[in-house]
Structure formats: structure tokens, C-alpha cells
Amino acid sequence: MGAWVLRATAFGVLVVVLRTLLGFAMIYWPTEGSWLRILCLAVIVLAVAAWGLADGRGDRQANPDPERGGADLTVRWLKAGVAGGLGSGLVAWILDLLPKLDLGGNGLLFELTAGASFIVLLIFVPAMAGVALGRFLAGREHRTGAAAAA
């Protein structure tokens, strides 16, 4: 299985699970919606950034010289974001058709365009920040280790 497929599946499922939990929470605690939305958003951003950090760190450790390249993590995470956004939008739309489950009542067109584009950015941007930080930290460790050995 491709690395981007694993990431797309994991974060698509995470988005759908959090939207479902938020839908149930909004039924039983409608006055708590604002902080619950922020909490769900923070969970997604932190999970994506952590995985991006691990990817960037691993890539820099495998390829210590930034001039000689490494894995193309930008395309990997962009593919994961697009597939995760479209997949989670489609699944959320299907689940929203079930009775007693409220995921916002958005139409299919909205879920596959505006909703999916938000999820794409929600996956791609924190992942790229995590990759950059991971590469920086691993590169710094490599430079300090090489300086101490010399």
C-alpha cells in the first residue's frame, strides 16, 4: 500500500469519526458547540503535524545531505490530503443520510468541493509544517553529532 494511501485513510477516518462525535455532541450539548469544534480541529491538526514531523525527521535521517534530495514528501502529503478530503466528504454525506445522525446536512456538491478543500488544507498545511520542523531538527542533530565527532 502506498504511503499516501495509508495517510489518506487514517486522516479521512479521523475526520469522519470526529465529525460524527461532534454531531452527537451537538444533539446532547448544543451550547458547548464552539469549544467542541475547536477541540476537534486541534486534534486533527496535532495528529497531522505529528505524523508530518515523523516523516520529515525520518527522511532527513535517511538522507542527511539536503542538497542530494530525499523523499518527495510534498506530493505524498498532497495526495493524502486530496484523497482524505474527498473520501471523508463522501462518507460524511452518506452517514448524514442516516436518521438520528446529524453531520451538518450538507449536500454532496458541498462535501466534494468546499468541504473537501477545507480538509485538504487541514491535512496538507500542518503536515508540511511538521515535515519542515522534522527535517530541521534531524538536520540539526546530524550537524551537532558531526561537529562533536570531529
Side-chain angles (χ1 to χ4, degrees):
M1 178 176 355
W4 67 271
V5 175
L6 177 64
R7 286 157 181 78
T9 305
F11 292 117
V13 168
L14 179 64
V15 166
V16 171
V17 166
L18 288 176
R19 282 185 69 181
T20 305
L21 291 176
L22 185 61
F24 281 126
M26 293 303 295
I27 291 171
Y28 296 107
W29 304 294
T31 59
E32 308 297 325
S34 59
W35 74 267
L36 287 172
R37 285 185 181 103
I38 293 170
L39 178 67
C40 289
L41 186 68
V43 166
I44 294 169
V45 168
L46 291 175
V48 171
W51 199 331
L53 181 92
D55 272 357
R57 196 175 186 89
D59 182 56
R60 182 58 72 225
Q61 288 171 347
N63 304 297
D65 185 10
E67 298 296 321
R68 302 230 186 254
D72 189 6
L73 298 178
T74 305
V75 173
R76 177 183 297 172
W77 277 103
L78 186 59
K79 286 180 187 177
V82 169
L86 290 172
S88 68
L90 181 63
V91 171
W93 178 76
I94 292 170
L95 288 177
D96 197 34
L97 297 175
L98 298 175
K100 303 275 186 185
L101 189 57
D102 183 25
L103 297 182
N106 299 320
L108 180 61
L109 183 62
F110 175 84
E111 289 289 353
L112 293 181
T113 55
S117 64
F118 178 71
I119 300 301
V120 169
L121 289 175
L122 201 58
I123 292 173
F124 182 69
V125 173
M128 288 296 93
V131 165
L133 182 62
R135 284 180 172 166
F136 172 75
L137 293 175
R140 189 176 70 176
E141 290 171 1
H142 184 271
R143 286 188 300 273
T144 58

